[in-house]
Amino acid sequence: MTDLVSEDSDVVPTKASNSDVSPWWKTGPIYQIFPRSFCDTNGDGVGDLRGIIDKLDYLNDGTDRSLRVKGIWLSPIYPSPGRDSGYDVADHETIDPKFGSMDDFDALVAECRRRGIHVVMDMVLNHTSDLHRWFLESRSDRNDPRRDWYIWREPRRRGRPPNNWRSFFGGPAWTFDEDTQQYFLHTFLPQQPDLNWQNPEVRSACLGIFRFWLERGVSGFRLDVFNAYFKHPELLDNPRQLGTTPWTRQRQLYNKDRPELHDFLIELRSLLDEYPETMAVGETFDAQAELAASYCKQLHMAFDFDFLQQPWKPRSFQRTIKKWDGLLASQGSWPCYVLSNHDHPRHAGRYGQGVSPSEADARAKIAAAMLLTLRGTPFIYSGEEIGLRDVPIPSHEEWDVAFKYGSRDPSRTPMQWNSDVNAGFSSGHPWLRVAPDYHTRNVAIQEGDPRSILSFYRRLVTLRNDTPALLFGDWQPLQDDPDDTLIYLREHQGAYAVVALNFSNTRRRVTLDKRLPVRYWNARLSTRRPDVGWAVRLDQTLELGPYEASVFTSVDEMSDVNSRERIAIG
Ligand code: NOJ
Ligand code: CA
C-alpha cells in the first residue's frame, strides 16, 4: 500500500472547495461485504475478518488504483445458527468464531482507519435468533422477567393464531409454543422471533448494543428492517388487499411503520450524534419512496428499493430518480443508491438478460456510470465491480431455504479474485460454489485491463472524487421523456457536469429539452469518445454511440481547457 490516508484527510473531498467539508458517508462509495463470501484465510471455506483485512488495499490503498471506498458495510458477523445467513443473531456483542475474534475485529477497524475506510455494522434488531439468550429465557416460563421482551399472545378461539399477520418468508407470522401454551410473533422465520419494541427495557438494551460497537470504533450502522420494530400495541388484523402472495394480499398496516418508531429514531440519532460523523442507513422494508424519505429526517440515509427494481429503461430510472431526489432535496436530506445486494439477483445478470455477455458487460458499465454520478452515496455490492452474475445453485447445495419465493444463494457466491483454485477465495472447499466463469472473470484479470468493468469503476470513482459537481451538485434531467438515453446535469456552485448514457446498442442522436448552461466542456471520461481529456463544444443535440457512457465537466475559461489529466477511454 502506498500513501496512507490520514483520518482527517478524507473528510474533505479531493479538490472540493472549502465549503464542501462533508462527512465521510457523503463523499464516497460504501462497499457491502458479505463476509462469508469475501476471502477465506484459514481454508475452512468461509470468508473471515482476516480475509477482509488482506483485501483492504484493494478497497482503498490511498491511490486511484483502488476503489477508494469510504466505508465497508459488513453483513452480520455475530454468532448465529445461520438459519438466515447470519440475519438470525444469537449474540449481538461478539464475533462468530467462524469469522474470527474480537481481536481480529479490532485489527480490522484499525487497518480500515489507516486507509480512511469506515466500518459499518449490520444491526439486526427487529428480531433475534431463537437461540439468543433473551429468547431462551423468554420462552422458558410465562413469568420469566424476559417474557415480555418478545411478543407472546394467547391463541384465539379454536387455537387459532392471535391475528391474521403473515411472515414475509411465507406462512403465518405466529408459532405456537407447546411448553408455555402461547404463540410468539415472527415477521420472518419461526427461528427469528420479533423483539417487543414497546417494552422500554428492550429499547434500552438495543441502544446499549449500538453504544457497544461505537465504543469499538465503528462509524456507522445499516439497520435491518428497522421500520418493522414497532407493532400496533393491540396487534390488530391487517386489512386485506389484492396481491400475488399471502404477504402482498395484506396491507401491512399494523405490523410496521408505526408512529412510535419516529420517537425511537430521534433517541437513536442523539446517541449517534455523541460520536462524530456516525452514520445510520435504514433498510426500509417493503416501503415506497415517500415512506423511505420520511425516515431520512432522523436517519442519515435510507434505501429506496424502487431504483433497484426498475427495468432496463432510461424512462423508468429517470422517473424513479426524479421522485427520490426530489423528495429528499425538498426536505434537505441526502439520497443513496444501490443496484445490487445480498437479497436480490445481481444487476449485471438482471440487465443482461437476453443479450450477449459482452453487451451485458457494456450494460454493467452504463449502470455503474449512473450509480456513481447521481447525487447521493453509491452502495457497491461486492463483486458488482467485476460484473459478477448470479450463479445457479443446485437444490442439494442450497443454504438459503428461508425465503420461500426463491433462494438468494445465487447472488451470494464467493468473490472472484484470480484464476487460482476457487478463484483465490479459499484453499479449502468453499461454503457455496464459485461461479464457473472465474478463470475469465476475476479481479486480477480486470486490474490488468484498462477496458474492464473494474477499471471503469475505478475511473468513475476518481472522477467523482475530483469533481465537486458530481459529489455534491444538484441533479437535473436534461430530457423530459427519455427513450433510450439518460442524460442529466449536476450543478454545484456554478460548476457543472453532464452525464450522457446510451442504454441501447445502437447510435442515438438526442435533442435535449433543457438548455445546457455553458457551451464548452471537458470530456472527462467515456466508453467511446476519442477526445477524452480535451475540450469539446456541446450543442443541444448530442450523438451517443452504442452503450456510450460519457461524462463532461464545464470549463469556465478556455485557459482551463486541456489542463486536466487525461482519463483513458473505458
Ligand atoms: C433483511 C436482510 O437483508 C435479509 O437478508 C434478511 O433475510 C431479512 N432482513 C431478515 O433479517
Ligand atoms: Ca475462514
Side-chain angles (χ1 to χ4, degrees):
M1 190 176 105
T2 54
D3 188 19
L4 289 176
V5 182
S6 85
E7 227 193 322
D8 291 335
S9 68
D10 79 311
V11 173
V12 184
T14 337
K15 296 186 189 165
S17 68
N18 291 338
S19 62
D20 291 328
V21 178
S22 275
W24 66 270
W25 49 270
K26 284 191 176 178
T27 60
I30 298 180
Y31 187 91
Q32 183 193 353
I33 292 178
F34 198 66
R36 63 193 70 205
S37 288
F38 196 59
C39 180
D40 170 27
T41 52
N42 64 352
D44 66 356
V46 178
D48 42 53
L49 298 186
R50 286 279 150 199
I52 299 175
I53 294 173
D54 283 357
K55 298 295 182 187
L56 287 178
D57 279 353
Y58 167 75
L59 298 177
N60 192 348
D61 71 355
T63 78
D64 294 337
R65 288 188 305 279
S66 64
L67 278 168
R68 301 299 293 259
V69 310
K70 289 289 170 62
I72 49 173
W73 147 28
L74 306 175
S75 278
I77 49 175
Y78 320 99
S80 160
R83 303 298 292 250
D84 184 14
S85 294
Y87 284 90
D88 47 330
V89 178
D91 180 349
H92 292 85
E93 295 188 353
T94 188
I95 305 292
D96 191 320
K98 74 170 159 289
F99 295 123
S101 62
M102 265 302 185
D103 286 346
D104 294 329
F105 182 80
D106 292 341
L108 173 65
V109 172
E111 286 299 319
C112 281
R113 187 166 287 158
R114 293 176 63 220
R115 294 164 173 84
I117 301 175
H118 298 78
V119 175
V120 176
M121 293 296 268
D122 211 320
M123 291 300 258
V124 191
L125 294 173
N126 172 68
H127 44 268
T128 67
S129 159
D130 63 338
L131 299 185
H132 195 295
R133 180 174 56 87
W134 296 346
F135 189 71
L136 294 176
E137 291 172 14
S138 182
R139 86 183 305 172
S140 67
D141 191 307
R142 282 190 180 210
N143 296 317
D144 188 89
R146 288 227 208 264
R147 185 66 168 182
D148 194 37
W149 280 44
Y150 293 82
I151 302 171
W152 291 96
R153 287 293 183 280
E154 296 295 330
R156 279 194 287 188
R157 275 197 303 132
R158 291 197 295 278
R160 286 188 305 132
N163 67 20
N164 70 349
W165 296 358
R166 312 294 306 180
S167 151
F168 182 72
F169 283 158
W174 296 93
T175 289
F176 191 63
D177 179 58
E178 293 292 342
D179 290 346
T180 58
Q181 293 288 301
Q182 280 186 323
Y183 278 96
F184 65 88
L185 180 74
H186 51 89
T187 304
F188 297 94
L189 288 176
Q191 292 84 3
Q192 292 168 299
D194 281 30
L195 282 163
N196 177 15
W197 277 78
Q198 300 286 358
N199 182 340
E201 289 178 11
V202 168
R203 296 200 295 274
S204 95
C206 290
L207 285 171
I209 296 171
F210 282 97
R211 196 182 283 285
F212 174 87
W213 291 106
L214 288 165
E215 289 294 323
R216 284 211 103 94
V218 154
S219 319
F221 301 97
R222 177 259 187 191
L223 309 182
D224 188 77
V225 300
F226 74 100
N227 54 324
Y229 288 174
F230 287 88
K231 280 76 180 172
H232 191 285
E234 288 165 41
L235 307 180
L236 304 174
D237 275 351
N238 277 326
R240 294 180 195 289
Q241 63 179 14
L242 288 176
T244 51
T245 63
W247 176 266
T248 57
R249 278 198 285 277
Q250 279 186 11
R251 199 169 140 227
Q252 312 296 329
L253 192 60
Y254 297 119
N255 50 346
K256 59 193 254 318
D257 303 303
R258 301 301 309 162
E260 298 93 321
L261 176 61
H262 284 275
D263 289 342
F264 173 74
L265 294 181
I266 291 169
E267 213 179 326
L268 172 63
R269 181 62 186 252
S270 70
L271 166 64
L272 301 182
D273 286 347
E274 288 177 34
Y275 297 80
E277 292 209 15
T278 300
M279 178 280 291
V281 55
E283 184 208 20
T284 7
F285 167 52
D286 195 30
Q288 303 296 309
E290 286 82 358
L291 195 60
S294 73
Y295 292 119
C296 294
K297 292 179 185 151
Q298 290 100 35
L299 298 177
H300 303 82
M301 296 185 281
F303 292 125
D304 167 33
F305 295 112
D306 280 353
F307 181 68
L308 177 151
Q309 274 148 6
Q310 294 314 307
W312 188 246
K313 285 198 170 67
R315 184 176 294 137
S316 309
F317 280 112
Q318 177 157 312
R319 200 187 307 121
T320 310
I321 299 161
K322 201 169 168 181
K323 183 171 176 190
W324 183 232
D325 189 79
L327 280 166
L328 295 182
S330 66
Q331 65 184 46
S333 303
W334 184 251
C336 63
Y337 289 93
V338 57
L339 286 171
S340 282
N341 68 25
H342 64 293
D343 287 331
H344 297 271
R346 287 181 173 277
H347 70 263
R350 276 190 280 125
Y351 301 145
Q353 257 167 26
V355 301
S356 69
S358 67
E359 257 193 67
D361 280 357
R363 288 185 176 192
K365 285 187 186 172
I366 298 289
M370 173 172 68
L371 180 72
L372 291 162
T373 59
L374 290 172
R375 183 182 85 92
T377 300
F379 279 76
I380 297 174
Y381 178 46
S382 175
E384 74 173 63
E385 73 276 21
I386 53 170
L388 288 195
R389 273 67 155 169
D390 276 19
V391 180
I393 306 293
S395 55
H396 66 276
E397 290 177 19
E398 256 173 18
W399 284 88
D400 182 38
V401 288
F403 193 47
K404 293 210 170 25
Y405 305 107
S407 165
R408 295 163 293 181
D409 290 334
S411 62
R412 298 174 174 183
T413 59
M415 182 62 175
Q416 295 166 208
W417 294 106
N418 53 45
S419 305
D420 296 347
V421 66
N422 297 325
F425 161 70
S426 170
S427 58
H429 181 70
W431 74 282
L432 190 61
R433 63 166 60 195
V434 180
D437 70 352
Y438 80 82
H439 292 284
T440 51
R441 185 180 295 284
N442 63 51
V443 169
I445 290 177
Q446 295 203 13
E447 273 182 333
D449 175 3
R451 289 180 176 268
S452 68
I453 300 177
L454 178 60
S455 300
F456 193 62
Y457 266 80
R458 288 177 177 173
R459 278 203 299 280
L460 280 162
V461 174
T462 299
L463 178 59
R464 188 184 163 91
N465 287 342
D466 269 358
T467 315
L470 288 179
L471 280 174
F472 309 110
D474 295 340
W475 176 88
Q476 196 200 344
L478 292 172
Q479 298 166 276
D480 290 339
D481 191 19
D483 196 2
D484 285 328
T485 55
L486 184 62
I487 306 176
Y488 45 88
L489 182 73
R490 305 285 314 277
E491 190 268 318
H492 179 71
Q493 297 179 350
Y496 300 93
V498 164
V499 179
L501 309 172
N502 182 357
F503 279 52
S504 82
N505 61 1
T506 50
R507 178 163 288 281
R508 285 284 177 264
R509 197 181 154 81
V510 187
T511 301
L512 303 177
D513 297 306
K514 305 277 183 319
R515 289 205 72 74
L516 288 176
V518 296
R519 207 177 290 174
Y520 290 99
W521 300 81
N522 269 318
R524 301 294 302 282
L525 169 148
S526 179
T527 53
R528 292 233 151 224
R529 296 179 68 103
D531 53 4
V532 169
W534 300 93
V536 295
R537 187 185 150 139
L538 293 185
D539 297 313
Q540 284 306 108
T541 299
L542 292 186
E543 289 260 3
L544 295 179
Y547 292 126
E548 174 172 339
S550 293
V551 183
F552 308 89
T553 53
S554 54
V555 232
D556 289 338
E557 293 165 33
M558 288 305 287
S559 60
D560 275 0
V561 173
N562 303 334
S563 65
R564 303 234 180 220
E565 197 187 328
R566 190 182 164 99
I567 298 183
I569 298 171

